[in-house]
Structure formats: C-alpha cells, structure tokens
Amino acid sequence: MLEQIKNIKSLDELMALHSATFGKTGTMTARLKDMKNLDNDARAALNAEVAAMRDAFKAAQEELENTAMLVALAEQKLDAADTSHQYQPPVTNGKLHPLTQTMSEIAAIFESMGYGLRTGPDIEDDWHNFGALNFPEHHPARDMHDTFFVDGGNLLRTHTSPVQIRSMESDGVPIKIFCPGATYRTEMDATHFPMFHQVEGLHIDKNVTMSDLISDVKIFLARFFEMDSVDLRVRPSYFPFTEPSIEIDIKWRGDKWLEIMGAGMVHPNVLKNVGVNPDEFQGFAFGAGIDRLTMLKYGYNDGRKLFEGDIRWIKAKGF
Ligand code: PHE
C-alpha cells in the first residue's frame, strides 16, 4: 500500500485512493470501526499502520503539488523574444511572372511527351530567322513579320522558328524538341504586344506524319487547358517553311472556334538548308503564341495586362 501511494502520478488518483482508504466506506475506515475487537498489540500495530499511511499520503500530495507548480511556472515563463502576441504585418510572397508560370507548365507537358527543351538567341541573323526557313530574299512573306532590325544586319527574332534551324544544325536528325521564348514584332494593340512569346515544336524522323502532329497537338492542348479532350479544326494556310501548312483551331466552350497555332510538314528546302536529306527524313513543326494560350486559360482579353505589374489584377486572376 505504501509503495502504491508513492508511485501515484496524479493528484486526482491520489485523492481517489485516499477516499477509497479513509473515506466513509473506505477499507481502513472499516478496519478502524472494528478496532474494539482487537487486542492491545494488534491495536498498536493498526495505529502504526494508519500513521504510516497518513504520512505517505501527505508526502505524496506535497510531492505532486510541487511538481504541478514547477510545471505551471515553466509554462508561464515570459519569453521576451516571442513576438507571436504582437501585430504581425501580413507576409506577401513574390511569385514567378504569370508567363513564366505558363511556360513552366508548357515545358512540363512537352517534356513528359518526349520533347527536349531547346532555346536560342533573341537577337538573330537574317539567315536563321528567314533565309534558312525558306523565306526568299525580298519575298513578301517577310513583310508578314513586322521586324525590328538592329545594328549589324541582325534583328530581333520574329518567331521561335529559328531555334528549329539552330537545333537541327547542332543536333542533326532525328530530333524531337520544343522551343519556348520571347519573340518581337513592331505591333501593338490590345492583343498584340511588341514582345510576345511563342513555343515551337519540331519532330523530324523517318516516319513522322501529319496525323502525329494532330495527335500531339491534341494531347498538349487537352493537358494545358485541363480538358478531357479537345476538338480541333484544321484549315489550309501558308508558311514558307512548311508544306502543306495549316492553321489549327480549337473548339472553345462548346460554341466557337479559336485559332490556336500554325503548323505543317517541314518544307524540304528547310531540311536541305540544314544538311538533312528530305527523301530520308521528314516531320512536322508547329508554333503557338504563349501569351494567347495564357489569356485563354486564365480568361482575360487585354494581353497588355501581364506587363502592367498591377498586383491586384494578378491576384484576382489567381496567378
Ligand atoms: N513561326 C510561325 C509564326 O510565327 C508559326 C509556325 C511555326 C508555323 C511552325 C508553322 C510551323 O507565325
């Protein structure tokens, strides 16, 4: 019993044991009532036992109360370095630019489809931006690209297609790549900014066909717009570097068709320009405007918004 009292870990338990022993119906109370029937020696022994138990209860109680006080003191200790009770101004984290976020999403999708990432310079020479892409000298197709010229006969690339050329020059074929990046044209209105962004796709091998193009574009667009599947419409178009050339439209919100990218089978002249035999290899290329993809995905009409740095708008759009 004395051991049991000593080992008790809480005041409540101690009190419970105390009343089970000395309370009205307690075990010891019953024995004490019976004391008159005991002889002197037994009485003395019982008294000693009672005294020892009372001492043990008292000691245990003091010990437990002491510990409880120490715990309470430790909890109440004032930590001068703890500022959690003070007013904390809200912390706002910086984020990547919405376009950078979209570019990362696009990159993750193409990489998962086996396309390798390639980039090229923003300042290009005429050959990579036009010549190698089968734009003849003085051909009106060059006027479709309102070009920024820079000193030394160079220019700001008007599309990401020169990265096709540079990549085939350095890596040869077969090749399966995507090339995101900034592009520049001298135009400016609600949907056109002098700097915009494109992502180019290029897949050249021995048996690559137009249906591979359509299927990959479908997979990409469905994943990008988080749709189960997408309906595409293909219209004939013209680019000097693809033959045949097409414009791909996507069925948007069930009713209208939206132009989403240009594409086609890479023109034999382009392959020849990078030393590839077009009788042996062929494939497709496509080019989409990233700014436009971002506008559609996040639902806004003024492309200039992304460059105004209006944090309220950026937050409202959920970027
Ligand atoms: N470079 C074209 C443009 O900027 C897009 C495109 C890329 C078309 C690849 C066909 C193939 O308009």
Side-chain angles (χ1 to χ4, degrees):
M1 185 72 172
L2 293 180
E3 268 306 295
Q4 193 190 352
I5 295 170
K6 238 176 133 182
N7 287 333
I8 278 182
K9 291 277 173 299
S10 85
L11 273 171
D12 285 350
E13 269 177 66
L14 188 70
M15 292 312 155
L17 183 60
H18 186 271
S19 65
T21 314
F22 289 111
K24 250 192 191 154
T25 56
T27 47
M28 189 52 92
T29 313
R31 284 173 65 195
L32 287 171
K33 274 186 191 147
D34 200 35
M35 203 162 172
K36 51 186 183 299
N37 301 324
L38 298 177
D39 63 24
N40 281 347
D41 283 353
R43 273 187 202 184
L46 184 57
N47 276 331
E49 196 184 333
V50 167
M53 274 169 73
R54 291 205 191 279
D55 286 350
F57 271 115
K58 208 171 159 213
Q61 184 180 358
E62 271 171 19
E63 168 98 25
L64 287 170
E65 281 173 352
N66 234 346
T67 329
M69 188 163 75
L70 288 176
V71 168
L73 279 177
E75 277 172 0
Q76 287 168 22
K77 203 162 71 183
L78 179 68
D79 179 358
D82 175 12
T83 55
S84 60
H85 57 287
Q86 290 178 358
Y87 170 69
Q88 306 277 316
V91 177
T92 48
N93 292 324
K95 291 230 183 125
L96 292 175
H97 191 278
L99 271 180
T100 313
Q101 292 182 36
T102 308
M103 292 227 225
S104 312
E105 287 167 26
I106 291 173
I109 298 171
F110 280 123
E111 272 165 4
S112 78
M113 293 170 70
Y115 286 78
L117 170 70
R118 294 290 184 286
T119 55
D122 288 23
I123 298 178
E124 265 299 1
D125 52 45
D126 186 88
W127 172 249
H128 288 95
N129 196 80
F130 291 124
L133 287 160
N134 199 36
F135 285 80
E137 207 81 40
H138 309 300
H139 190 279
R142 291 185 183 223
D143 296 340
M144 285 159 57
H145 296 214
D146 309 288
T147 311
F148 282 111
F149 292 97
V150 297
D151 291 346
N154 290 327
L155 46 86
L156 295 181
R157 66 178 178 194
T158 58
H159 50 175
T160 42
S161 301
V163 190
Q164 288 184 31
I165 302 298
R166 289 187 178 276
S167 304
M168 285 192 282
E169 281 173 348
S170 62
D171 300 9
V173 288
I175 191 168
K176 191 178 177 187
I177 55 168
F178 73 103
C179 326
T183 46
Y184 308 84
R185 290 185 200 178
T186 59
E187 51 192 6
M188 172 104 167
D189 59 38
T191 51
H192 295 95
F193 211 66
M195 180 190 71
F196 56 106
H197 301 78
Q198 289 189 336
V199 58
E200 191 88 6
L202 176 73
H203 185 192
I204 307 285
D205 207 330
K206 291 198 165 160
N207 287 305
V208 179
T209 67
M210 197 86 142
S211 55
D212 297 315
L213 162 67
I214 303 297
S215 126
D216 276 7
V217 167
K218 264 193 166 166
I219 293 170
F220 165 70
L221 290 174
R223 298 242 332 247
F224 180 75
F225 289 120
E226 294 162 16
M227 289 156 60
D228 291 338
S229 66
V230 290
D231 281 336
L232 297 185
R233 185 174 74 173
V234 165
R235 289 176 290 116
S237 185
Y238 171 75
F239 302 102
F241 39 93
T242 46
E243 181 58 37
S245 299
I246 57 172
E247 210 70 63
I248 301 177
D249 300 343
I250 185 174
K251 184 96 165 268
W252 195 248
R253 305 240 159 89
D255 52 353
K256 53 183 180 210
W257 292 99
L258 293 181
E259 183 181 319
I260 203 98
M261 65 173 76
M265 298 304 287
V266 174
H267 197 291
N269 288 350
V270 174
L271 296 172
K272 281 185 209 151
N273 284 337
V274 292
V276 171
N277 177 1
D279 293 328
E280 204 185 343
F281 286 94
Q282 70 284 130
F284 61 75
F286 59 82
I290 294 180
D291 310 71
R292 183 164 161 73
L293 288 173
T294 309
M295 276 163 88
L296 289 173
K297 180 163 178 175
Y298 293 95
Y300 57 95
N301 299 323
D302 189 342
R304 294 167 294 196
K305 280 283 178 203
L306 283 187
F307 303 99
E308 285 172 357
D310 182 343
I311 287 172
R312 292 162 304 181
W313 182 83
I314 289 170
K315 275 196 182 145
K317 280 287 150 208
F319 286 116

